[in-house]
Amino acid sequence: YVKNRWRVGATVGTFLSGELQDAEVFTASLAYKPLSWLGGEIEWGRFYGLDINGSMAAFNFVYEPFSYWRLSPTLILGGGELSVGVQPKQVFDFKKETFFNYGIRLNYYLGRNFVVRGEYRGISLQSSSDQSGTSEELGTWSFGFSTFF
């Protein structure tokens, strides 16, 4: 599995903090690892809550220093864009904003071509409509799988 360069995956999780707290998150990703320990990942997702929904897209660098271990920790660093769609009962300071994210993922390699993964991410969202320069801090956890080839 160390030699396989391409990965396709999906995750499900929830926002733990911030104005999007308790919204469910669903993502799909495509990753390429030119080195066994370093790669890039394109990710697209949707989130749904009681009073809100939206989408997000990101590019992440993925650093997996112990990729040859069956249970392997991974660091994630990236950024992207978050778009809030429907918010009938709440008024947020953001509609479509860029964000910076960082996180830790734990990969468990199942056999030949499958990975089960769990992760926590912190997301720093800077509102372009806010002149004071304040940012919203969000946290998410997710659980998912990947296959590689």
Side-chain angles (χ1 to χ4, degrees):
Y1 56 79
V2 174
K3 295 178 184 178
N4 295 302
R5 304 263 185 234
W6 291 95
R7 291 187 184 195
V8 176
T11 64
V12 61
T14 188
F15 281 96
L16 299 173
S17 60
E19 292 193 54
L20 300 178
Q21 186 172 354
D22 297 329
E24 300 294 323
V25 181
F26 303 91
T27 65
S29 63
L30 174 66
Y32 178 71
K33 290 177 68 175
L35 305 170
S36 65
W37 53 273
L38 183 65
E41 175 181 71
I42 296 171
E43 184 175 44
W44 183 82
R46 298 278 305 163
F47 55 90
Y48 302 94
L50 291 176
D51 298 323
I52 191 166
N53 71 40
S55 63
M56 53 197 263
F59 177 80
N60 302 310
F61 289 102
V62 180
Y63 174 61
E64 188 175 8
F66 307 106
S67 59
Y68 50 89
W69 291 359
R70 187 179 263 313
L71 185 62
S72 177
T74 303
L75 299 176
I76 303 162
L77 185 64
E81 188 173 79
L82 182 133
S83 214
V84 175
V86 176
Q87 50 178 342
K89 294 182 182 177
Q90 298 176 345
V91 177
F92 294 129
D93 291 336
F94 53 89
K95 300 272 189 227
K96 187 172 188 177
E97 308 296 341
T98 57
F99 66 85
F100 168 76
N101 76 91
Y102 52 91
I104 187 161
R105 176 184 296 160
L106 196 56
N107 292 326
Y108 182 73
Y109 291 90
L110 292 173
R112 236 179 117 182
N113 288 45
F114 294 100
V115 179
V116 175
R117 64 189 204 191
E119 69 183 41
Y120 172 81
R121 285 205 205 174
I123 298 172
S124 181
L125 183 68
Q126 183 69 39
S127 177
S128 60
S129 62
D130 187 359
Q131 300 300 329
S132 66
T134 61
S135 65
E136 175 76 18
E137 296 298 321
L138 308 171
T140 67
W141 72 265
S142 61
F143 181 75
F145 70 94
S146 295
T147 184
F148 47 91
F149 46 96

